[in-house]
Amino acid sequence: MPSEKDTDWIYRKSTKKLLMRLLLLGCAISVLMELAVWDRGGKFGVDGWFGFYALLGFVSCTLMIFAAKGLGLWLKVPTNFYDQEEAGEEDEVQMTGLVTKTVKKATKKAPAKKATKKAAKKAAKKATKKATKKATKKATKKATKKATKNVVNKTARKKVARKTTKEKEGGAQ
Amino acid sequence: MTIHPAFVLILGALLVPLFKGRAKSMYVISLPVLALLAVCALPPGNFCNLNWLAGFGEMTLLRSDKLAKAFGFIFTINATAAFIYAFYLRDNTQHVSALLYIGGALGAVFAGDLITLYIFWEIMAIASTMLILARRSKRSYGAAFRYVLIHILGGLFLLAGIVITFNTSGSIAFSAFDPETGKHAGTWLILFGFLVNAAAPPFSAWLSDAYPEGTITGSVILSAYTTKTAVYALIRGFPGWEILMVVGCVMALYGIIYALLENDMRRILAYSIINQVGFMVCAVGVGTAMCLDGAVAHAFCHIIYKSLLWMSAGAVLYRVGMSKCTELGGLYKSMPWSLWLGTIGALAISAVPLTSGFTSKTMILYGAADEKLFIPWLILEIASAGVFLHAGIKFPYFVFFAKDRGHRVKEAPKSMIGGMLILAFFCIFIGLFPGPLYSILPHAQNVSAFALDVVGADGHAHHFTAWKFAKVVTQLQLLLLSALTFFVWIKWLKRTDTIVLDTDWIYRRGGGLFYRNMDRLLNGANRIVHTTFVGGFIGWLRRIVRTAPSRIAVSALTPIWRAQGLRDKALEIRQKAFYEDARLGAFPVGVTAIFAVVLLSLLCLLIVYIGIAGA
């Protein structure tokens, strides 16, 4: 954790406190300034009440934030919601083929729903197993290739080095 | 000499590809300056009258009056600032489409009749679509496609309305439709057409869908013209239509709620446009001279501060390459100019005293209060507080402060800063000295530096003063308490990497859902009908028809065969032989003749029975 002095002035807790106090002071001054306006009056009566606009500002904004929060629970979706949908449709087309094949196999043996679930699970497991096997195989192949290459290179380098040292030694002699 | 300002831009756009490098940018900046001069030089009256559309009467391409000129001034001023901002840009597509788009908007504003208006309206729609496409991303292509579809719908509403209106009244004149006697299918359709462009719900989602997908400068330009041209058209055509008060109030609140929920800074600003246009639409609904002038003044100021905000957001996008609040923050050190200039725009949109928004928005509020319209007035006051919440604080706070995300970038290019400086200057100048703005308003008289008299159609004058101590105090109360609310509930306003579903869900996802459900329902019904009727009933009928005569004949002949002494197996063999003969049609001629006689006599009896029953 960076110390209070290391952080930027604007992010310090003391600054935040100071700004909040200034804001509260500003709010208080704005309300008190109304005392200087003798008989402000209002077009509707209500708007002529002392501190009406302050109250309206606080209450309406609170209500709007609450309303937004409530609506957000219902209407918020991930940023890629529509992109997913578009990609999802393509996947759906491809996937349906797989699912229908597995369903056809499963329906021969057992009732439809359970069979489809099982079949889907099996298919998924098989697919993941195959994929992991393939991936591990590829990875191991690559790793071994690299390792052998490295070993070969190292040995070759060593040989070359030995040769050159021998030649040098020979030359010196 | 009168020159149509729209043609300066539209014809000028055609020459853009001939220039290269800096010369291109200079040329593009010079065009709106020339158009501004053309607007200044326009005397009042109708010009460029054409009579080429048989049966529709005379078209007026250029109608110059105070209302049209007020919009002409701001359209060209904003265009100049926008092209200065885009000095770094050398993209022909963007420049040409932007110039055509602004030219279309000017053409619509100066149109003297409905047909001319429609033509420029459609030029705007096409050119603005090109501005969205110019971003050349998959998302922008999708957004542009949806945008143009909605605008084609709006255009069709408008065209149908114009045709019906012409059929009803025999005129293509574009003037105020009477709110009492002028209501018919034609005017309603024209109103729908205008409201689609004004982004009134439920036709609002195109704005928040398309504008954030535009290019950096494209979105700055888009933010100013389509909705404000619609506001102009509403002021011109539908003053005093009470439905607009309702629409405006809904827009003002809807814009705030959605802007509060959004995460992308440009989507926040897009919803903020809807909120601000709501003020203007509501003012048109009130329809008094004060409110109409308030709507014009607010459109003028709105174009300036909204462009400034989009420029600030564009500068951030240009440097950081991100636009989500969850990815931004802590830019106040890296981009101080963008911060301060953007903050001036944010203060102006919030109508903080000393900024332009204060001198224009209060005109609308004053006008609504003057007419004793409590609910619209209250909603607009609430919306004023809400604007400060989402655009005044939320936008600069989450983009430039909030959490430091470690973006250490350069300040925006000088040209961008230059464009923003011009608009920031206007924001403060109009806030301090609103007199020049008030002097171009349609109903203004006796204009001083801070006040004006607004004269209504009845000749009654209302005095309006921009600066009153009580007004400043109440506005400060409203805004400061709104700011306090923001920081009190800041935990509730934490950003998440989400978007908010809007009415575009209906055509983006609802359409597909509807198609799939209808596919399931109708094809399912088809399958059921096929299996029960075609496979079941028809097959049964086919079998019955094929075997029924032989079965009847067998049941009739069996007693005879029994009488002949046939029993059990012999009877069965006889019956089977009969069925086989019937199947093969191998009856002797005599038997066939007997069947025919029996059938004919039955038919005769049936006919005789029907005849008797009929008598």
Side-chain angles (χ1 to χ4, degrees), chain A residues 141-157:
Chain A
K141 270 185 182 178
K142 275 187 179 176
T144 45
K145 270 186 181 177
K146 272 190 179 177
T148 47
K149 268 187 182 177
N150 285 336
V151 170
V152 169
N153 288 337
K154 275 181 183 176
T155 48
R157 275 177 208 159

Side-chain angles (χ1 to χ4, degrees), chain A residues 156-172:
Chain A
R157 275 177 208 159
K158 275 180 184 177
K159 278 181 182 176
V160 171
R162 275 175 199 166
K163 273 185 180 178
T164 47
T165 46
K166 275 180 183 177
E167 280 168 7
K168 276 180 184 175
E169 280 168 7

